[in-house]
Amino acid sequence: MLDVVDDIGEDLKCDARWQLIERILLTDPFKKSTRLPGLLCYLAERSIHGHLNELTEQRIGAAVFGKPPDYSPAEDSAVRVHVRQLRLRLHEYFDSEGRDETLIVDIPKGSYALVFHCGLRESTPPPVEIPALVPVAERSEKSMGVRQMFPWLAFAAALVCAVGWYHAHTTMQKSQRPPWPLNAIVQDDQRTTVVLGEGNLMLRLLAGKEIPLQEFLNRDYLKSAVTPGMPENEARLINYISASQLTSYANVFVATTLVRLTGPHSDQLVIRGASDLSPRDLERGNFIFVGSSSSNPWVSLFESKLNFEIVEAIVGERSYFRNKQPRPGEQDVYQGLEHAGSEGEDFATISLLPNSRGPGSVLILQGLSHEGTEAASLLLADPSDRAKLEQAVGVRDDSRNPTYFEALIRARAVAGAPVSVDIVSTRIINP
């Protein structure tokens, strides 16, 4: 956890600021994260020692994330993404377990240096004194003072009304649940992690095979991508792609659609790349996986529960959905676009199922191509399409005991964008 900190001297161990960092690192969000502990240690040690010249995006990327020293932060946002997550985790700590800390640490926006300051607790406001009734003879002497108080009393009353209205309005918004089926995934009492597929898995084309989850986590697939005798510029390009966090427009579109649909509950969403996730993360919470197993290997953990399986006979060639158990009137195979950006039919699945790794639920949106994945989120965003899906599934609208299902949808794509969506088939998934 402290690998990126060169040497923790006695001066640092005795420093109240470092002791605060150590308490933060012992909390669950940091114990279960693979990247944030090292990032926090590096930023804290450099900030406390005053080595602010080392807190640049490029230096952090190289020291904490193992990026090449000459990598381009403009094209690789890993540091910015993780610092935003770290800033959020720090705020959560001081709102919960660290609410009684006398020292607070923060990362001001636009900076990577930690700022420590005293935690000033809000003092209890003094009680409002209500003046006693004054005899008539004494009122004339105090009438001017009372009249002068009227504007302030009116202002105080208006302020109380405004605060009450805001609280009632916010409470009413929060009481409005996200639309089905997101209400089974996005809830007030726990985080929902949106995991986006990654474009750097295009390197599977060089390896000539799909990349299993274990190889993806260990980065073993890079060994087969860079071969002996490969031209230096090609090897450099492969290393650059492998060290970058790339995703597609379709994944970004899906993420923004989910944020919009969840509305006031969107603060429960945490958006991460597939490579930022670890197996231990799945032991708690709800998850939304965007993309098929070829770009998001985590989906492979749940494929055995699904009836419609994406098959790619030749890596990089046209893929299709295999119907494992066809019903009367259904096809054995549903083939999509010849290639992304072409015109025709594409297919996708929307699947809600229990998280087999821990408590919670999982929503998977995967298409044969980018058009299909985008179409899945379009269906969820359209109230009439959602109503059709609810009817087809026969859903019981209970966010605590959801109806788990799988739906195959068909999209009509023109010029790289889905223009219409309809439901082809549904299945109920038994927990």
Side-chain angles (χ1 to χ4, degrees), residues 383-399:
S384 62
D385 286 339
R386 284 201 308 270
K388 294 175 183 176
L389 182 58
E390 286 186 74
Q391 184 177 5
V393 172
V395 67
R396 181 181 66 235
D397 189 7
D398 184 348
S399 60

Side-chain angles (χ1 to χ4, degrees), residues 172-184:
M172 182 179 66
Q173 278 193 321
K174 283 288 187 180
S175 66
Q176 296 175 352
R177 297 186 303 166
W180 177 88
L182 294 178
N183 62 348

Side-chain angles (χ1 to χ4, degrees), residues 240-271:
Y240 171 78
I241 293 174
S242 65
S244 302
Q245 281 193 316
L246 308 174
T247 194
S248 66
Y249 169 81
N251 288 345
V252 174
F253 181 88
V254 172
T256 55
T257 300
L258 293 172
V259 170
R260 178 170 56 85
L261 287 174
T262 50
H265 300 266
S266 61
D267 57 355
Q268 298 300 112
L269 298 180
V270 177
I271 299 177

